[in-house]
Amino acid sequence: MTTQEMMSAFEQAYGHKAEKMYFAPGRVNLIGEHTDYNGGCVFPCALSFGAWLLIAKNEDQVLRFRSLNMPQTYNIALSAICPQPDKAWCNYALGCLDIIKRRHPEAALKSGYDLLYYGNVPAGAGLSSSAAMEVVTARAFTEEMSAVSCQSSDDKAYRTELALIGQACEHEYAGVMCGIMDQFASAQGKKDHAIYLNCDTLEFEHVPVKLDGIKVVITNTHSPHHLDSGAYNDRVRQCKLAVEQISKVKPIKFLAELTEEDWKEVQSAITDPIAFKRARHVVGEVARTAAAVEALKRGEIAYFGELMTASHVSLRDDYEVTGPELDALAEAAWQVEGVLGSRMTGGGFGGCTVSLVKDEAIEQFKAFVGKEYEEKTGLKADFYVAEIGDGVARLA
Ligand code: ADP
Ligand code: MG
């Protein structure tokens, strides 16, 4: 859909023209999985897919929500902004307005608004359509509500604040206790760069991704499985147990503080075999992520790919969050000549893999991986050749 078509859809829906238009991207994490809540770094990039938001003021003291992706529409009085029941999609937007007001007391909605969303991130695939929607809303309404205390800061700080608004919305209005990576990548993305982000301190660096003749290919499992909060909370608890047991010989706050050298010395302190495997993944993944960033800076893309593959193996064997669908995709990808590396991305069990594939191998990759995947799981995979795009922006 073109932006012109979105403008026409707005006019058709509301009977008047949109005044402003914004875009925020979805994201894919290249490496650094399940490191965020262990004090480690992640390495996501913003995609050229994302969420668009068109808005215009109305005279009616009401917020009207429509989406070209969803049949439900919502009319919410300005005086009644609070979480809506039944997983209403407008919560991802409404929450941002509420959080803006709470984080920036000078901000106010001075009129009603008509809003129209359109997204082309496949929803629920782990590419963060929800974060794109939150960040695009936060961008538009920090401006509309004159939240000057965040806008007057420098651009980087403003974008970090947009991510924090989006994350708070996800926690409070969607009930998903996510880390900061998704919203951060959507807000701070930069074309042809990935973001080396410490999720604890929010320090980050944009690292150029120069992939001559190589593409980032995302493959969607379309699996109904996902990392549920029970499995997620188990992993958090097991990592905490490892921290406690290691702290008897070397006091630490997070597993990510351990180098691989430290690991050799402290590993015997962990008596629980499951906690041991979880910790071994985290320590290895933190080191792999740092090594991958260095490899990319030196232009060693083949090594970067090997680290991605090693990341998948560790998530499969030690962290145990891959499952048959993601394993089928990654293991088929590894067999294709011209694939530099392939791994699951996101929380796990379902969602997507991310692969580095030489241009000339892309068709063979899709054909072989698609066929193997269907034979093993009975499901059809989808392939997206990703472009690394900019973070949130006003378009018109
Ligand atoms: P994801 O991994 O894509 O973020 P989530 O389950 O976190 O998956 O978020 C998907 C939900 O976000 C959808 O069910 C819907 O409520 C909301 N959403 C995302 N994009 C849109 C959109 N373009 N229009 C309306 N709602 C959207
Ligand atoms: Mg989400």
Side-chain angles (χ1 to χ4, degrees), residues 51 67 69-70 87-89 92 117-119 121-131 133 170:
S67 166
N69 304 94
M70 297 284 179
K87 297 195 182 299
W89 65 258
Y92 293 93
Y117 289 86
Y118 168 70
V121 182
L127 302 176
S128 270
S129 67
S130 62
M133 196 174 153
E170 185 103 18

Side-chain angles (χ1 to χ4, degrees), residues 276-330:
F276 181 89
K277 292 208 301 182
R278 305 300 188 245
R280 184 165 62 188
H281 164 73
V282 174
V283 174
E285 187 75 357
V286 166
R288 274 188 294 277
T289 306
V293 171
E294 289 310 311
L296 198 59
K297 287 181 180 170
R298 290 193 305 264
E300 294 171 10
I301 310 301
Y303 183 45
F304 189 96
E306 284 169 31
L307 291 162
M308 287 172 70
T309 293
S311 165
H312 185 94
V313 170
S314 175
L315 288 157
R316 181 188 68 190
D317 299 343
D318 275 349
Y319 223 67
E320 298 179 281
V321 287
T322 55
E325 291 87 2
L326 289 165
D327 285 339
L329 284 183

